[in-house]
Amino acid sequence: MEVIHDGESWYASAAGWFRNGLYVAPLSWRDTPPPWQSPDNPVAGLDVDGRLTVFALAPGGTAVDHRWQEAPGGPWTGSWHRFGTAAGAAPRVTGDGSGRLTVTAIGPSGVGTFVRRQAVPSGGWQPWTAFGDRTVAPLVSGSPAL
């Protein structure tokens, strides 16, 4: 794929023998986060005890919220709970070999990547921390943290 800039317009191109030719499609840039509901938002993780926990970019795209099952296969918490503020994109959740979930989110305006990990399997959360040296843009002093 190649991105093409022509005056005020942007396009994405694709080509190859498997595509039967060259294709060009208009590309538009957005200054706001993706809508609250999209194919990648919300996301779910399975705790080691079998409970689902769901994370989502909050309506308005400014925070991460979460809900969880109170027991495996059981009822859900009554409402969404704030999990972190000043998010810039839908979160991602992964599990690790120790049974803990890890949530990753991009900071506001795409500045910084932050992670939050369960303190113990199926319970408690450590604070948000910057994800090492891997950021999508330099962290600036005074940037709001998740």
Side-chain angles (χ1 to χ4, degrees):
M1 185 181 106
E2 183 178 350
V3 175
I4 303 162
H5 181 225
D6 181 28
E8 295 294 317
S9 301
W10 292 82
Y11 302 92
S13 69
W17 64 267
F18 52 89
R19 296 202 186 275
N20 297 319
L22 172 68
Y23 294 88
V24 178
L27 184 63
S28 59
W29 301 99
R30 294 170 37 173
D31 292 332
T32 57
W36 184 76
Q37 292 181 332
S38 68
D40 60 348
N41 188 50
V43 296
L46 185 64
D47 281 321
V48 73
D49 68 0
R51 292 179 301 127
L52 285 171
T53 302
V54 178
F55 302 88
L57 185 63
T62 60
V64 175
D65 289 344
H66 72 140
R67 286 182 78 183
W68 57 92
Q69 285 182 309
E70 294 174 355
W76 291 83
T77 54
S79 62
W80 289 91
H81 299 268
R82 187 59 25 110
F83 190 71
T85 59
R92 300 286 181 258
V93 63
T94 58
D96 65 19
S98 73
R100 298 179 198 189
L101 295 178
T102 299
V103 176
T104 307
I106 303 298
S109 303
V111 178
T113 303
F114 298 87
V115 296
R116 191 168 178 192
R117 187 173 186 226
Q118 282 182 321
V120 295
S122 297
W125 289 92
Q126 296 172 348
W128 286 101
T129 58
F131 185 67
D133 296 327
R134 296 175 185 242
T135 57
V136 294
L139 290 173
V140 292
S141 179
S143 291
L146 292 169

